[in-house]
Amino acid sequence: MSNPLLSTAALPAFASIRPEHIQPAIAQLLADADAALALATSAQTPADYDALSATLGVATERLGAAWGAVGHLNAVANTPELREAYNASLPAVTEFFTRQGSDEALYAKYKAIAQSPAAAGLNAARKQALKLWLRDFVLSGAELQGEAKQRFAAIQERSAELAQKFSEHVLDATDGYAYYATQEELQGVPADAQAAARAAAEAEGKDGYKLTLHFPCYLPVMQYGENRALRERLYTAYVTRASELGEKPEWDNTAIIQELMQLRQEEAALLGFKNYAEASLAPKMASSPAQVLEFLRDLAQRAKPFAEQDLAELKAFAAKDLGLANLQVWDNAFASEKLKEARYAFSDQEVRQYFTLPRVLQGLFDIIERLFNVKIVEQAAEVWHESVKFYRLDRKGELVGQFYLDLYARPGKRPGAWMDEVRSRWARPEGTQQTPVAQLVCNFSSPQGDKPALLSHDDVTTLFHEFGHGLHHLLTQVNELGVSGISGVEWDAVELPSQFMENFCWEWEVVQQLTHHVDSGATLPRELFDKMTAAKNFQSGLQTLRQIEFALFDMRLHAEPGSEETLQALLDEVRQEVSVIRTPAFNRTQHSFSHIFAGGYSAGYYSYKWAELLSADAWSAFEVEGVFNAATGARYLQNILEVGGSRDAMESFKAFRGREPQIDALLRHQGMA
Ligand SMILES: [Zn+2]
């Protein structure tokens, strides 16, 4: 009996893969990849791009594709047996790719290719792929020798430990807090949140309602709780988590932050950078800390008048309608929610009746076909669930790419929405042209009875977002693994195509084509659309400044070695510079800022705003030239989507827009112009 994971067919045999296939197939593919790595780095294999592709490229792609299929099933069709088989093979797969990424002989081989006379003759995509491989080796310490190399490894290990400790402290401090409220104190808090709090107390055999600092409990209290003293109590506990002002000294992250920052600066210095921010930006689109700081400060300055106005309106409303004369930070979420309700109340349920899935999908496909000159045709394929559909993208009768569409939530499927690569475009060494295949996964409510599925506007935006990633992967014309599709695209530029697609969902002309009332067939009324748009931009000035405060603190902390010694002073200075809301002196948000101390966002928090800037500015070309302008679509296709990671994102952006990114469109889209 043959193992479907070892099949070399173009598409994975999703319906035939069983848990018992995983271990033997992955073990064999790992052994093949190991042998390929040994062969590729031996003297037998010349320092030649094609030779390396034919050995290592083929073997690792095959392993990656099979493991990708297993990981995909683990995410969308989980069973205890599958999970066990997945977890059993995971460490060996991780170990192989980690080892490959730091293999010195492989690094030497890449360097030899780059230095060979043939290197000058490589095409642009290959040159870029080679450049990125070498860069990643250098950033992981491949150039270091002797003591420096050992120190680098020790820093990596200790930093990982500290990041882990940081997260644990935040989690422990979050878990470790409880306040048992009376029913009277919970006035205004939604019934479901109250029921959960009551059940949590009951489980401990206690009276009252157990309130914790976990978001599903914390947020409803802050947004809807009428009791001001309760809000203050919870807020205080929340913003002092894992700090010297928190519940327990053993959860204090102060020392961890200092050591972690010193190690990061030392690591950057070993690699030859002036500071950690520079090292972090080396593989990113933003070119220097100064450029990021300038961008953030410019945005802050322009958003500030709107934030001041947001705050003035909130204060006036709170005083007049809520009797909260002296608005405090723990009142902000509560008052804002009430103001939003008073101004823009509309029902999500009402909106859903218009966004019927077949119409939304048809509208989305029409946009893609019109702008990017392709045809989308449903096709038969082996799938993992009966509701999953499979499509192909053709251009002039020729296959461009294919995608699976798995839209509905069900047991055994991971929540959320994502795009994943099944295969990437590649001119294979054996001479065949591989076309890209993608997974597009959402978790919408399934259709009920004979009615079509109904989507919220958020759902629609999510679908468009993931299709943006999908198109980036599927429409690429690059033929080299490593830089085709989304591969090799800078981390802070990868959300450009996805956020770009979201804009269609806020365009009146488009929304009319996406809507078809489930009963009457009517399109969305203009009045409702206007309310939705206004609600989207509610307090965008304040929101923007809040994000900038985090981003500016993150960038300065990493760009100014030693600033961790005066962490609070640095944050105070940032707040002084950009914030319009006065933060209480006891606020220690930085002590639970996991994004930068325990996540991948160190000297990278700006990327949220950066990606918004890029996508808004790209979209503004369509606003000027027409949302369905085929020529603009073709320019976007050629300069952004098709080139993938084969050149720097800034070059691609400039090629499309004719200039560097500008901030105006971002401000306008968020009602700040
Ligand atoms: Zn995304």
Side-chain angles (χ1 to χ4, degrees):
M1 206 177 70
S2 67
N3 188 324
L5 283 167
L6 294 173
S7 150
T8 50
L11 296 169
F14 282 116
S16 321
I17 299 168
R18 299 277 166 269
E20 59 270 24
H21 293 134
I22 295 172
Q23 197 279 330
I26 298 302
Q28 184 182 326
L29 295 174
L30 271 172
D32 293 349
D34 260 326
L37 181 59
L39 176 62
T41 52
S42 73
Q44 243 177 296
T45 304
D48 170 73
Y49 199 105
D50 283 314
L52 219 58
S53 287
T55 50
L56 191 59
V58 169
T60 53
E61 199 261 353
R62 200 167 167 219
L63 169 64
W67 185 243
V70 173
H72 175 69
L73 290 176
N74 189 50
V76 298
N78 201 296
T79 61
E81 297 75 27
L82 180 69
R83 186 183 312 182
E84 200 187 321
Y86 172 83
N87 285 331
S89 289
L90 179 62
V93 176
T94 309
E95 189 275 334
F96 172 79
F97 284 110
T98 308
R99 181 155 45 83
Q100 184 190 226
S102 60
D103 189 300
E104 288 183 22
L106 182 59
Y107 177 49
K109 190 69 82 176
Y110 282 132
K111 274 210 286 199
I113 295 174
Q115 286 155 8
S116 72
L122 291 177
N123 66 36
R126 287 189 163 194
K127 278 187 182 140
Q128 180 82 352
L130 195 55
K131 185 179 102 180
L132 300 187
W133 282 322
L134 290 170
R135 179 200 70 194
D136 291 344
F137 267 107
V138 171
L139 288 175
S140 54
E143 281 289 318
L144 300 176
Q145 305 294 332
E147 237 172 81
K149 199 175 193 75
Q150 281 176 10
R151 180 63 190 147
F152 187 84
I155 289 176
Q156 300 269 308
E157 199 177 314
R158 179 67 183 149
S159 298
E161 254 172 49
L162 289 168
Q164 175 62 20
K165 274 268 159 268
F166 184 96
S167 297
E168 285 171 13
H169 288 169
V170 174
L171 185 61
D172 290 347
T174 305
D175 282 340
Y177 176 88
Y179 175 70
Y180 298 86
T182 62
Q183 184 169 30
E184 212 186 344
E185 283 177 294
L186 292 185
Q187 181 116 41
V189 176
D192 56 340
Q194 286 201 30
R198 175 68 203 116
E202 207 168 88
E204 295 174 4
K206 292 208 160 91
D207 291 338
Y209 297 77
K210 184 184 180 185
L211 302 182
T212 73
L213 299 178
H214 284 286
F215 229 57
C217 176
Y218 176 72
L219 193 64
V221 174
M222 298 308 290
Q223 278 184 325
Y224 302 103
E226 308 267 351
N227 189 313
R228 199 179 197 185
L230 180 68
R231 293 199 304 265
E232 181 179 358
R233 179 190 290 272
L234 242 58
Y235 172 85
T236 306
Y238 192 81
V239 301
T240 54
R241 280 177 306 157
S243 77
E244 84 279 14
L245 302 176
E247 288 246 313
K248 290 195 180 164
E250 62 264 37
W251 297 332
D252 182 4
N253 273 332
T254 307
I256 289 182
I257 293 173
Q258 292 201 346
E259 189 185 345
L260 194 55
M261 288 308 302
Q262 281 155 8
L263 290 175
R264 283 179 181 175
Q265 298 298 357
E266 190 186 344
E267 178 190 318
L270 281 172
L271 293 175
F273 293 99
K274 282 210 287 290
N275 54 61
Y276 184 84
E278 279 192 0
S280 166
L281 292 183
K284 297 189 171 95
M285 178 182 176
S287 58
S288 67
Q291 187 191 29
V292 173
L293 292 175
E294 192 191 307
F295 158 63
L296 293 172
R297 286 181 164 136
D298 184 22
L299 185 54
Q301 203 195 347
R302 306 226 217 168
K304 211 165 185 173
F306 294 92
E308 276 161 354
Q309 197 184 324
D310 289 343
L311 187 61
E313 280 172 15
L314 186 66
K315 280 182 171 167
F317 172 79
K320 186 166 166 288
D321 290 53
L322 305 174
L324 292 171
N326 187 13
L327 198 73
Q328 301 293 320
V329 277
W330 44 86
D331 302 324
N332 285 348
F334 174 75
S336 296
E337 200 53 39
K338 291 275 181 282
L339 176 58
K340 194 173 169 184
E341 272 169 28
R343 269 202 198 158
Y344 313 114
F346 64 86
S347 135
D348 247 6
Q349 228 19 58
E350 187 189 350
V351 174
R352 289 180 90 97
Q353 309 303 310
Y354 291 94
F355 288 101
T356 39
L357 186 90
R359 174 57 63 105
V360 171
L361 214 50
Q362 190 52 55
L364 170 60
F365 287 3
D366 284 347
I367 291 169
I368 295 170
E369 292 185 340
R370 278 173 79 173
L371 282 183
F372 305 130
N373 188 26
V374 285
K375 278 265 158 281
I376 303 178
V377 189
E378 194 174 343
Q379 199 187 334
E382 244 191 75
V383 293
W384 51 94
H385 188 269
E386 57 188 11
S387 67
V388 177
K389 295 202 186 296
F390 185 68
Y391 299 87
R392 54 184 282 148
L393 291 165
D394 289 335
R395 186 177 287 135
K396 295 189 192 121
E398 235 176 83
L399 175 66
V400 176
Q402 293 152 300
F403 62 92
Y404 298 87
L405 192 57
D406 182 354
L407 291 176
Y408 305 116
R410 60 175 176 267
K413 181 171 166 183
R414 201 175 81 198
W418 65 90
M419 188 287 289
D420 203 0
E421 302 151 277
V422 179
R423 291 200 185 256
S424 297
R425 187 179 167 92
W426 189 22
R428 298 187 62 98
E430 58 271 35
T432 50
Q433 177 66 54
Q434 181 166 298
T435 50
V437 183
Q439 295 287 4
L440 289 152
V441 184
C442 295
N443 268 282
F444 301 148
S445 315
S446 7
Q448 299 300 320
D450 54 0
K451 300 227 165 156
L454 303 177
L455 307 187
S456 71
H457 188 259
D458 259 2
D459 291 340
V460 177
T461 313
T462 300
L463 182 69
F464 274 66
H465 179 104
E466 298 311 331
F467 258 90
H469 287 305
L471 292 171
H472 204 186
H473 178 62
L474 293 168
L475 296 180
T476 191
Q477 285 300 307
V478 177
N479 279 324
E480 295 304 324
L481 278 190
V483 287
S484 81
I486 60 168
S487 304
V489 175
E490 291 98 314
W491 182 83
D492 50 350
V494 93
E495 295 295 331
L496 193 181
S498 52
Q499 295 192 356
F500 169 84
M501 286 299 288
E502 292 182 23
N503 288 292
F504 285 102
C505 311
W506 293 105
E507 197 66 39
W508 174 237
E509 191 187 348
V510 176
V511 164
Q512 286 169 283
Q513 299 189 24
L514 296 179
T515 48
H516 181 90
H517 192 280
V518 62
D519 298 322
S520 70
T523 59
L524 189 82
R526 178 76 202 213
E527 194 199 355
L528 188 50
F529 176 74
D530 288 342
K531 273 190 190 176
M532 290 160 61
T533 309
K536 170 178 83 110
N537 292 334
F538 179 61
Q539 292 186 342
S540 56
L542 284 175
Q543 307 286 1
T544 301
L545 287 194
R546 188 174 159 74
Q547 289 295 97
I548 292 175
E549 180 184 313
F550 290 143
L552 205 53
F553 168 69
D554 164 47
M555 189 47 71
R556 286 193 55 190
L557 177 65
H558 287 96
E560 299 168 19
S563 58
E564 70 278 1
E565 302 285 347
T566 50
L567 192 71
Q568 190 62 49
L570 175 70
L571 185 52
D572 291 344
E573 205 177 294
V574 167
R575 285 181 174 147
Q576 190 66 35
E577 181 183 345
V578 297
S579 186
V580 298
I581 291 176
R582 226 172 45 87
T583 310
F586 62 78
N587 181 303
R588 293 287 180 276
T589 316
Q590 68 274 24
H591 284 73
S592 56
F593 197 0
S594 300
H595 270 84
I596 66 165
F597 295 121
Y601 282 80
S602 39
Y605 199 83
Y606 73 92
S607 65
Y608 287 108
K609 284 286 152 204
W610 184 264
E612 282 177 24
L613 162 81
L614 297 176
S615 57
D617 199 13
W619 177 253
S620 68
F622 286 82
E623 287 179 310
V624 173
E625 296 162 30
V627 173
F628 292 116
N629 189 317
T632 318
R635 222 168 69 232
Y636 181 77
L637 173 70
Q638 283 158 18
N639 290 306
I640 306 271
L641 296 178
E642 286 185 350
V643 294
S646 70
R647 67 178 176 197
D648 294 346
M650 185 59 92
E651 244 182 274
S652 296
F653 188 92
K654 285 199 283 196
F656 169 63
R657 210 62 187 87
R659 53 163 175 74
E660 293 205 346
Q662 287 175 3
I663 214 164
D664 312 69
L666 169 63
L667 292 162
R668 187 158 38 77
H669 291 166
Q670 301 185 344
M672 293 188 286

